[in-house]
Amino acid sequence: MGKLTKWKGALAAAALGVAAMAGTGAAQAQDTIKVGVLHSLSGTMAISETTLKDVMLMLIEDQNKKGGVLGKKLEPVVVDPASDWPLFAEKARELISKEGVAVTFGCWTSVSRKSVLPVFEELNGMLFYPVQYEGEESSRNVFYTGAAPNQQAIPAVDYLLGAEGGEAKRIVLLGTDYVYPRTTNKILRSYLNAKGIADADIMENYTPFGHSDWQTIVAQVKEFASQGKKTAVVSTINGDANVPFYKELANQGIKAEDIPVVAFSVGEEELAGLDTGPLVGHLAAWNYFMSVDTPENAEFIKTWHAFIKDEKRVTNDPMEAHYIGFKMWVQAVEQAGTTDVDAVRQAMYGQKVKNLTGGTAVMNTNHHLSKPVLIGEILEDGQFEIVSATDDVVVGDAWSDFIPESAKLTADWTYPWVCGNCEKPRFAAQ
Amino acid sequence: MPACRRSGRFRFGFLMVLFTAMALLAPIAVQAAEDLESLVAELGAAPLPKKDEVVQRMIATGAPEVVTILEALVERDLYTRKSDEKVVIGRKASGGLMLLDPVTGEELGVVGSRDVSRVTTNNSLRSSVKASMGALTLMSPDPQRRLEAADGLLKSSDQTMLPLLEQALAKEQDAAVLNALQLAEASIKLQSESAEVRLSGVQALSDRTDPESRVMLSRLLLKDGDVWREPDENVRGAAEETLASMESRLRMWRTVEHLYQGISLGSVLLLAAMGLAITFGVMGVINMAHGEMVMLGAYTTFVIQEGFRSAAPELFGWSLAVALPAAFLVSALVGVAMERGCIRFLYGRPLETLLATWGISLILQQTVRSIFGPTNREVGSPEWMQGAMESVAGITLTYNRLYIILFSFCVLCAVLLVLKKTAFGLQMRAVTQNREMARAMGIPTGRVDAMTFGLGSGIAGIAGVALSQIDNVSPNLGQAYIVDSFMVVVFGGVGNLWGAFAGAMSLGVVNKLLEPWAGAVLGKILVLVAIILFIQKRPRGLFALRGRAVES
Amino acid sequence: MSLLQRLTAPQPQAPGKGRLASVILLTILAAIAILVPLLNLTQAPGSALHVPTYLVSLLGKYLCFAMLALSIDLIWGFCGILSLGHGAFFALGGYAMGMYLMRQIGDRGVYGNAELPDFMVFLNWKELPWYWYGFDLFPFAMVMALFVPGLLAFVFGWLAFRSRVSGVYLSIITQAMTYALMLAFFRNDMGFGGNNGLTDFKDLLGFDLQADTTRAALLAATCIALGGCYLLCRAIVASKLGRLIAAIRDDEPRVRFLGYRVENFKLFVFVLSAMIAGLAGALYVPQVGIINPGEFAPANSIEAVIWVAIGGRGTLYGAIAGGVLVNYAKTVLTGLIPEIWLFALGAMFIAVTLFFPKGLVGSLPGAIDWLKAKAGARSAATPTRPLAKEAGE
């Protein structure tokens, strides 16, 4: 008899467990619109992503003060994917199926985006991805508000090769060994070749994440630069590895006037944790700098400082990307009159938002933005002095023209293409 | 464009020579001069590519105020006042910027930083202005100025400056400036019209191996299409020979440099691992929170430096000296708390200490993240730790690494002294060798345990101070070193500080010798595989302890 | 006896208790394998009995982790070898499955290359590297998912056990092994997709991976595999071999002096355990949709060891419970208290090590006994006290 009760008990416990887990899945009544925030708050990426979570909370709070969207308040749903890529996919699924969010703002690394991509496509969710990335992608369910390579890397190299940037003849491509630097450098190599710089004058080097001992590589760069031609470094070194890299650079006596380094992953936030003295004069290319003097930007910075309650906190490019993305989404929802993903997506195309740096950002049908490109020199106080800006906005290009396989692909999510990677339209044009 | 710049410089250089000769050319200068005031206004308004031309015209006026204005431009102290578009010099003052009239030097009052906008410069403009200014500051009493002037001359390689440069060379006492002047002289000679002078320029470089002289010589061997840049065959031959001999000398020095880099990496590993060698090696606690002790040390440095910045910025150079004992104390206290609160219940179950300390490490990381935020924190290097020793051989020994090498040796010696020469060290060794016996002899084992753990953690904290000088100060700092630290301790032999020393140094050097050949990642993989294989040969590490205690 | 003492007191391993736990465990697994897919597929989404799809893949993931924990318990709990590198075997199995899934994409990748996966196309690879051959065949990939981890474990174990590397030394070099593999797989030149790993899978054996039926089937397959592995481990542990292994754990030199080739037995268990981990990895990948070098991170392996410790070392079912429990806690906490969940997790680890050194499951019988004793003491309180008094007088 004892055995039997235990049996029953076990079964009951199992059933209860399953039921309890299932019960949490039921969606609650919809008197708010839920907005998912999918940024790592712990682990290696917390260093960059936590700020973006705060920006989202600020933007949502701000919008709610203005009365929300469609007469409903927005409700942020924050989860922590803990810099763990499979966990990103799990959390994305949780946000969409369990929480029923209307839209998600999130991810930083490419691998996290790749990890959640199938989930968003399967469940027809909507993701705003705010970080500069390698391109070569256009998903129906993702809006890319960061820079594509042609909105950051190519203008930066143009600057280095031009008279103002010192007419560099030798280029060092330093990067962390992952897909963004690899792809960017592949595009740049082919671009440099087209500009008449031979492969012998290009040095390419990859280091692991969080690489902290740069002695050898900086010495190699010095060596490479001592061949009589003006040399410049293009850095796609990721986050954590930058601090020791610049420290080593300064200590080995490399000055920006001799070998300028232009970086694509170093912004105000990264510099805030750094003694910037030795870095002065090195460059970065972004679509946004905190130092840009416009009323919109001043307002944004003021709101940010008030929200985070710290006057010392800086703003940076991915924050502006979230700002633009969020505003566009709000406008698109108002226009569509619903948060339904398909309707909002249609309303997104051509949606315009004023950039914080002046000019207007436009969402294109390839799900990438048109944005201006700025090049700045690092100043003593960790801010940037803008030394070059494109005359007009640059259209984000999902598929690079400098990679043969992707040059033939087109991303256009409107009729007759309706496709992220096609060589010809899916439907015959009328 | 280059032609235009050249002529401007020529004109200017010409003028300067006459100035120094005290010639009576002032009337001509005045005649040629444009109105400086309007030029300054033009400088402020001109777009970046046009600014250089304005600068040349300003120099051409020969007015003495030009030096101040250009210096302000290079130092980014030149602003446009928003109210009336006037170009002014701004100096930091309490409450904002003190504005000065660039021409008259008259004080125009203090304004907030939002009321002015900086006159933009970029690398190439500053570099060209510095080159042009070289002559103006060559005789300055400030060695730093003279050094900059020499660098400027090196870049401009203005032929007309040679006589002035030789004057300066004859007078110069400062070694660094002298070196820079010699380089500039060779550079000017290499640009000379006469092949003979160029040849003497090449010969002047023959004893050097620094990158600048190699750049100059390699430039002679470049071809523009089919035309040699250097038309004379003799000069080319000499340049090639000199370069070859430089290379052969360098080869040896490069090995020295790699060794230095290896030792410096090794000393970082040693610092990180030394604390672990005590907590893990001596006490047998698999301390997964060791990395967090290092992190706490780094954050203590940050807090101390913040204190210095706000209370006594002039004493900033001493901040690290204060941070060292503070970091030791903070980490040691946390360590003692950990030991008393948790680890002491787990002695004899070493593998379970792993689990508990892992939990502690998660909590410590998140605590720091909650208090200081997830972003990197700025820890500055005092003046004396910045820069590098540029040896004549052209290899660079950076000061921060040099000090870290010295520092790690000092810490090692200090710990060895504590272990071997103090009563506490004796008690500690007694307890680790035979706990029961030690207790029977009246040694308070519990207290010794806590102190030992505190010592190990405190050393980790000190390592954090050193690491804050070369790495990020973020909540993830510790995680980056924990695996390496365990490798060092196990490779060297658990329970032996000399083992940790030998392990750290050999791993550092091997890693750095492999890196140029195999790349950073592959080098590290090879080192790890080597460790795995080595442990097969010597299952108890490089310096295995012998005796009964080891077996248990 | 205090609760703490009772919990830490050695428990004679009663065969009956193990059997009961096995029955409970297998019943739960069977229930999940049958009920969850059934409720997921047949009930309408609005129904109270409906199991949402995200829960199906979540359960699948937990069970894969449980299987990894099982493999660690076999080697740690019964053979005394603490491997801090089991994540490597798990990831290798995962990569084998990932490579098969990658090859199944065919020309449906973004560049439409039938031969090469996307990441190879944009890294300018001209042809498929030799080690990718054969992975278009499912049976081959499955054999590899077991064989590669097994081979690595064999080589590693053969070297290590023969030269009598043991204790923390072994733990640390297993950590070195997984760390080295992580660095290697991060390299894009290795041909495994670098940091991004393998992702964007389409179908498995012709079934769409995003279909509910495929997910349900994968969950059922995971339940069956886990149950099978559990029975296998149980059988080994209960056999004569199992007793020998336990003897090695308790006193290795003595077993050696009795004439046994200790290293061979250890090697056998190590390889078997690695293969179970590999199988877990292979089942894990299609359910989470990505495999990348992060799985090799030493921290992941340490965490897996912690699951075992929390569940209860040396019980097999405890490891499974620990794997599921900790990961369930992680899922809940990262959503519920995203800012401070690490505090909760860390505190849980410390509390379990300090107060339940035998793990939650291992402490359960002790706790029950203690409760029973307490209840018994209360009901028997009235007669005993006078008796004691009597005896005292």
Side-chain angles (χ1 to χ4, degrees):
Chain A
M1 184 229 145
K3 206 166 195 177
L4 206 70
T5 28
K6 269 179 187 158
W7 257 92
K8 274 187 186 162
L11 261 178
L16 253 172
V18 170
M21 287 170 93
T24 52
Q28 280 120 26
Q30 292 285 310
D31 45 0
T32 56
I33 297 171
K34 286 186 175 179
V35 177
V37 180
L38 185 61
H39 284 300
S40 299
L41 310 179
S42 57
T44 50
M45 288 315 295
I47 189 168
S48 308
E49 292 194 60
T50 311
T51 313
L52 292 187
K53 182 252 327 177
D54 291 329
V55 169
M56 281 318 298
L57 293 183
M58 171 187 93
L59 291 170
I60 291 169
E61 188 188 286
D62 222 34
Q63 189 64 34
N64 281 339
K65 275 186 206 152
K66 293 181 200 156
V69 179
L70 298 178
K72 289 181 184 175
K73 293 272 183 231
L74 297 176
E75 180 192 342
V77 183
V78 180
V79 290
D80 177 17
S83 311
D84 174 355
W85 318 135
L87 197 58
F88 263 93
E90 181 191 317
K91 290 285 145 194
R93 198 174 279 281
E94 182 182 318
L95 282 175
I96 304 171
S97 331
K98 190 176 143 193
E99 302 285 350
V101 297
V103 62
T104 303
F105 291 81
C107 298
W108 182 288
T109 58
S110 282
V111 55
S112 66
R113 189 190 69 252
K114 292 269 184 211
S115 172
V116 301
L117 197 64
V119 178
F120 277 92
E121 286 179 349
E122 178 194 338
L123 303 172
N124 194 21
M126 184 182 276
L127 172 71
F128 281 80
Y129 176 67
V131 184
Q132 87 282 8
Y133 84 119
E134 66 280 0
E136 305 296 295
E137 187 182 301
S138 174
S139 165
R140 190 166 157 260
N141 299 83
V142 182
F143 286 99
Y144 307 83
T145 49
N150 72 317
Q151 289 174 307
Q152 199 183 16
I154 302 250
V157 168
D158 274 337
Y159 177 79
L160 289 178
L161 301 184
E164 281 177 60
E167 293 177 318
K169 298 280 182 258
R170 297 199 111 190
I171 300 286
V172 182
L173 304 172
L174 290 183
T176 302
D177 191 4
Y178 72 110
V179 66
Y180 169 65
R182 287 265 177 183
T183 319
T184 306
N185 288 344
K186 185 181 173 184
I187 293 170
L188 287 183
R189 184 180 280 271
S190 122
Y191 183 72
L192 288 169
N193 287 346
K195 288 265 168 185
I197 291 180
D199 277 336
D201 286 326
I202 302 173
M203 168 180 159
E204 208 169 330
N205 185 298
Y206 295 99
T207 39
F209 280 94
H211 189 65
S212 60
D213 196 294
W214 288 92
Q215 302 178 79
T216 313
I217 291 163
V218 170
Q220 279 171 353
V221 169
K222 262 177 107 170
E223 182 61 30
F224 186 77
S226 68
Q227 309 294 316
K229 294 181 183 170
K230 171 79 180 177
T231 307
V233 178
V234 173
S235 151
T236 37
I237 297 165
N238 178 276
D240 266 10
N242 273 305
V243 176
F245 169 65
Y246 281 107
K247 280 193 179 172
E248 190 66 37
L249 211 59
N251 283 332
Q252 292 205 19
I254 293 186
K255 283 190 228 105
E257 285 151 23
D258 305 327
I259 310 178
V261 178
V262 56
F264 303 148
S265 310
V266 175
E268 290 85 350
E269 185 92 82
E270 286 75 16
L271 291 178
L274 192 53
D275 179 12
T276 38
L279 273 81
V280 171
H282 287 299
L283 304 145
W286 291 103
N287 304 124
Y288 169 87
F289 284 114
M290 187 183 182
S291 59
V292 173
D293 197 3
T294 61
E296 290 84 8
N297 195 22
E299 177 65 30
F300 181 72
I301 294 169
K302 212 177 98 192
T303 323
W304 170 242
H305 284 163
F307 178 82
I308 206 77
K309 296 183 187 69
D310 182 355
E311 287 286 315
K312 278 187 183 168
R313 288 295 291 273
V314 293
T315 55
N316 66 3
D317 182 277
M319 289 166 74
E320 191 217 20
H322 259 344
Y323 166 84
I324 295 175
F326 180 76
K327 285 217 145 185
M328 278 190 176
W329 176 78
V330 169
Q331 291 174 9
V333 169
E334 300 276 6
Q335 183 183 328
T338 166
T339 55
D340 177 71
V341 167
D342 292 308
V344 174
R345 178 168 42 237
Q346 288 306 318
M348 278 297 291
Y349 303 132
Q351 205 63 253
K352 286 178 186 157
V353 165
K354 264 184 121 176
N355 284 319
L356 294 176
T357 55
T360 309
V362 185
M363 180 52 77
N364 300 304
T365 54
N366 65 358
H367 286 206
H368 289 67
L369 285 174
S370 294
K371 292 207 281 190
V373 186
L374 310 172
I375 290 162
E377 277 183 12
I378 299 173
L379 294 174
E380 196 88 39
D381 57 358
Q383 290 293 327
F384 288 85
E385 173 160 55
I386 291 113
V387 293
S388 166
T390 48
D391 298 332
D392 204 356
V393 288
V394 179
V395 180
D397 197 0
W399 301 99
S400 173
D401 298 335
F402 294 94
I403 297 180
E405 299 83 21
S406 78
K408 54 190 182 205
L409 296 177
T410 298
D412 185 343
W413 287 101
T414 54
Y415 197 81
W417 282 85
V418 201
C419 181
N421 55 322
C422 287
E423 293 184 31
K424 55 181 194 299
R426 190 146 335 137
F427 304 98
Q430 297 301 308
Chain B
M1 180 74 178
C4 138
R5 194 181 288 177
R6 202 176 179 80
S7 75
R9 219 175 266 146
F10 179 78
R11 195 153 30 129
F12 162 67
F14 175 67
L15 272 171
M16 283 323 297
V17 171
L18 294 184
F19 265 153
T20 47
M22 294 283 175
L24 39 128
L25 274 176
I28 300 180
V30 168
Q31 207 173 33
E34 299 175 65
D35 175 22
L36 192 59
E37 201 131 349
S38 70
L39 275 176
V40 171
E42 202 181 330
L43 182 69
L48 259 178
K50 297 266 181 276
K51 281 203 170 93
D52 194 33
E53 195 210 315
V54 182
V55 168
Q56 300 306 337
R57 270 163 50 207
M58 282 171 69
I59 290 173
T61 62
E65 297 87 4
V66 172
V67 179
T68 335
I69 301 174
L70 291 186
E71 260 171 6
L73 180 70
V74 171
E75 298 294 322
R76 303 173 205 251
D77 284 339
L78 211 56
Y79 295 88
T80 314
R81 191 156 61 185
K82 280 182 184 169
S83 55
D84 60 354
E85 298 290 314
K86 183 181 167 58
V87 175
V88 291
I89 294 175
R91 305 258 181 239
K92 280 214 178 72
S94 57
L97 286 168
M98 164 58 81
L99 300 188
L100 306 169
D101 187 290
V103 180
T104 61
E106 176 196 345
E107 292 194 355
L108 301 174
V110 177
V111 298
S113 56
R114 291 225 169 264
D115 298 324
V116 288
S117 62
R118 191 183 271 114
V119 174
T120 10
T121 56
N122 65 4
N123 282 318
S124 42
L125 177 65
R126 279 193 304 278
S127 159
S128 135
V129 172
K130 274 187 194 166
S132 312
M133 278 198 331
L136 300 175
T137 48
L138 196 56
M139 297 296 178
S140 157
D142 178 6
Q144 190 56 38
R145 285 271 176 88
R146 294 203 301 275
L147 195 64
E148 276 169 17
D151 280 343
L153 283 180
L154 173 68
K155 282 193 187 108
S156 69
S157 298
D158 190 337
Q159 294 303 312
T160 53
M161 294 305 301
L162 201 53
L164 186 66
L165 185 62
E166 265 155 11
Q167 266 180 37
L169 260 173
K171 272 188 11 194
E172 188 56 59
Q173 301 289 322
D174 189 291
V177 183
L178 195 64
N179 181 41
L181 285 174
Q182 280 163 349
L183 259 183
E185 187 194 13
S187 163
I188 293 177
K189 282 184 175 170
L190 285 181
Q191 307 269 316
S192 159
E193 301 282 309
S194 127
E196 212 170 303
V197 179
R198 292 203 300 273
L199 194 63
S200 74
V202 172
Q203 280 153 356
L205 291 175
S206 61
D207 289 338
R208 319 178 65 103
T209 39
D210 51 297
E212 285 85 3
S213 41
R214 276 184 299 145
V215 171
M216 282 191 253
L217 289 178
S218 336
R219 230 179 250 156
L220 296 178
L221 300 174
L222 289 179
K223 260 182 171 178
D224 293 323
D226 284 335
V227 191
W228 289 99
R229 285 213 185 151
E230 169 56 56
D232 190 283
E233 206 169 313
N234 284 336
V235 180
R236 280 207 307 271
E240 212 161 330
E241 221 168 87
T242 317
L243 259 181
S245 85
M246 280 181 182
E247 286 300 326
S248 67
R249 259 175 296 156
L250 265 182
R251 214 159 296 142
M252 190 190 85
W253 282 110
R254 278 220 191 99
T255 318
V256 174
E257 194 178 33
H258 289 152
L259 276 178
Y260 171 77
Q261 292 171 347
I263 292 172
S264 114
L265 177 63
S267 63
V268 168
L269 290 177
L270 176 63
L271 273 175
M274 221 177 319
L276 196 69
I278 292 175
T279 52
F280 171 54
V282 179
M283 299 181 77
V285 176
I286 305 183
N287 185 9
M288 281 296 174
H290 174 73
E292 277 58 46
M293 297 295 144
V294 176
M295 175 193 72
L296 285 181
Y299 271 94
T300 310
T301 318
F302 165 73
V303 171
I304 298 276
Q305 288 203 344
E306 281 297 288
F308 267 91
R309 278 201 190 102
S310 58
E314 67 280 359
L315 293 177
F316 189 75
W318 291 95
S319 60
L320 287 189
V322 180
L324 278 177
F328 183 88
L329 271 180
V330 169
S331 292
L333 283 178
V334 174
V336 169
M338 247 171 86
E339 202 275 344
R340 286 290 92 182
C342 177
I343 289 167
R344 74 179 161 130
F345 303 110
L346 301 173
Y347 286 124
R349 294 185 282 154
L351 296 178
E352 280 167 33
T353 57
L354 179 146
L355 311 180
T357 51
W358 181 257
I360 293 174
S361 101
L362 291 184
I363 291 178
L364 284 176
Q365 263 181 57
Q366 195 61 23
T367 309
V368 166
R369 201 173 275 134
S370 309
I371 297 174
F372 295 99
T375 49
N376 285 336
R377 285 296 165 159
E378 178 185 339
V379 171
S381 303
E383 203 77 12
W384 47 271
M385 274 190 87
Q386 290 172 3
M389 199 158 71
E390 288 266 5
S391 78
V392 194
I395 64 167
T396 324
L397 309 183
T398 49
Y399 283 129
N400 62 350
R401 302 239 170 215
L402 199 65
Y403 283 116
I404 287 177
I405 293 176
L406 292 177
F407 180 65
S408 69
F409 290 160
C410 292
V411 175
L412 178 71
C413 293
V415 174
L416 281 173
L417 275 179
V418 168
L419 290 192
K420 304 273 165 168
K421 300 282 174 200
T422 64
F424 165 63
L426 188 69
Q427 290 180 344
M428 193 181 120
R429 283 179 293 145
V431 171
T432 41
Q433 276 170 18
N434 195 330
R435 176 173 299 266
E436 297 308 313
M437 187 72 83
R439 190 181 296 148
M441 302 293 286
I443 294 174
T445 50
R447 218 180 70 200
V448 170
D449 281 337
M451 296 278 281
T452 312
F453 203 84
L455 177 69
S457 304
I459 293 167
I462 286 186
V465 180
L467 288 182
S468 74
Q469 292 300 309
I470 52 168
D471 208 339
N472 295 292
V473 178
S474 79
N476 302 328
L477 172 71
Q479 291 291 302
Y481 289 94
I482 185 80
V483 176
D484 285 336
S485 304
F486 272 107
M487 295 304 149
V488 166
V489 175
V490 164
F491 178 69
V494 172
N496 190 326
L497 274 182
W498 284 112
F501 172 73
M505 286 304 152
S506 41
L507 290 189
V509 171
V510 170
N511 209 333
K512 280 289 143 187
L513 289 180
L514 280 176
E515 196 179 315
W517 169 73
V521 192
L522 210 54
K524 190 147 191 199
I525 296 173
L526 288 175
V527 168
L528 287 171
V529 172
I531 294 178
I532 295 176
L533 292 178
F534 180 84
I535 294 293
Q536 320 294 337
K537 267 270 159 253
R538 296 184 71 117
R540 299 211 169 266
L542 214 49
F543 289 80
L545 282 185
R546 285 183 183 81
R548 211 168 249 266
V550 186
E551 289 302 320
S552 54
Chain C
M1 231 191 244
S2 78
L3 175 62
L4 195 70
Q5 272 171 314
R6 198 169 278 273
L7 292 178
T8 45
Q11 291 284 329
Q13 181 77 28
K17 264 182 189 150
R19 196 170 301 147
L20 174 69
S22 300
V23 170
I24 294 175
L25 176 81
L26 291 174
T27 315
I28 295 175
L29 281 179
I32 294 176
I34 298 164
L35 279 181
V36 172
L38 210 65
L39 293 177
N40 172 243
L41 295 175
T42 58
Q43 297 293 315
S47 144
L49 284 174
H50 177 71
V51 177
T53 309
Y54 90 92
L55 239 165
V56 174
S57 42
L58 212 55
L59 271 175
K61 185 174 137 176
Y62 295 161
L63 293 179
C64 290
F65 284 148
M67 207 154 136
L68 172 61
L70 176 73
S71 75
I72 293 175
D73 195 21
L74 178 65
I75 186 86
W76 183 33
F78 292 91
C79 199
I81 300 170
L82 175 60
S83 161
L84 293 181
H86 252 54
F89 305 126
F90 181 79
L92 284 173
Y95 265 96
M97 175 60 108
M99 283 158 85
Y100 162 74
L101 293 171
M102 223 47 201
R103 299 287 281 133
Q104 287 306 104
I105 297 173
D107 59 3
R108 284 170 291 171
V110 291
Y111 299 111
N113 190 320
E115 188 70 17
L116 298 180
D118 283 340
F119 69 85
M120 289 191 188
V121 177
F122 74 61
L123 287 177
N124 279 343
W125 293 55
K126 292 289 168 256
E127 56 188 42
L128 206 62
W130 59 268
Y131 44 81
W132 276 72
Y133 291 155
F135 277 95
D136 43 342
L137 302 170
F138 184 73
F140 179 80
M142 282 307 91
V143 170
M144 281 296 152
L146 297 177
F147 177 73
V148 174
L151 181 71
L152 176 67
F154 181 80
V155 173
F156 191 91
W158 189 70
L159 285 169
F161 300 142
R162 216 180 34 130
S163 35
R164 298 187 195 170
V165 181
S166 60
V168 284
Y169 290 90
L170 188 78
S171 302
I172 299 297
I173 63 167
T174 51
Q175 192 176 40
M177 172 190 78
T178 189
Y179 189 52
L181 278 170
M182 178 182 81
L183 291 175
F185 273 75
F186 262 127
R187 282 165 48 91
N188 275 292
D189 298 332
M190 281 280 285
F192 294 107
N195 177 51
N196 274 16
L198 309 175
T199 174
D200 203 19
F201 308 132
K202 304 274 193 252
D203 49 32
L204 174 71
L205 288 171
F207 298 104
D208 181 7
L209 273 177
Q210 306 203 330
D212 287 357
T213 42
T214 317
R215 280 187 214 285
L218 275 169
L219 174 64
T222 312
C223 288
I224 294 166
L226 180 57
C229 288
Y230 175 76
L231 286 177
L232 177 68
C233 293
R234 179 67 50 221
I236 288 176
V237 170
S239 69
K240 195 166 164 246
L241 174 68
R243 247 171 282 159
L244 194 69
I245 292 167
I248 293 174
R249 172 191 64 191
D250 295 335
D251 197 337
E252 186 174 329
R254 189 174 293 180
V255 179
R256 194 179 290 126
F257 294 146
L258 286 172
Y260 290 100
R261 293 291 298 270
V262 172
E263 56 271 23
N264 290 354
F265 294 102
K266 280 165 112 179
L267 190 57
F268 169 75
V269 183
F270 193 57
V271 170
L272 181 72
S273 155
M275 286 164 92
I276 294 176
L279 178 63
L283 285 162
Y284 169 79
V285 168
Q287 301 190 65
V288 298
I290 184 171
I291 175 77
N292 73 83
E295 302 291 341
F296 285 105
N300 281 21
S301 297
I302 293 173
E303 241 192 81
V305 169
I306 290 180
W307 305 334
V308 178
I310 286 202
R313 176 187 163 198
T315 57
L316 294 179
Y317 49 86
I320 293 177
V324 173
L325 212 72
V326 176
N327 281 293
Y328 176 64
K330 223 170 147 178
T331 301
V332 173
L333 296 177
T334 49
L336 210 62
I337 41 171
E339 317 262 353
I340 51 167
W341 69 277
L342 274 178
F343 288 125
L345 201 69
M348 182 165 120
F349 292 167
I350 299 171
V352 168
T353 350
L354 285 183
F355 303 118
F356 305 96
K358 296 174 68 64
L360 294 177
V361 169
S363 305
L364 215 55
I368 292 169
D369 286 354
W370 183 75
L371 279 177
K372 267 190 195 155
K374 225 180 166 189
R378 203 177 299 142
S379 59
T382 355
T384 28
R385 209 166 277 160
L387 269 176
K389 236 179 184 175
E390 233 165 77
E393 281 162 357

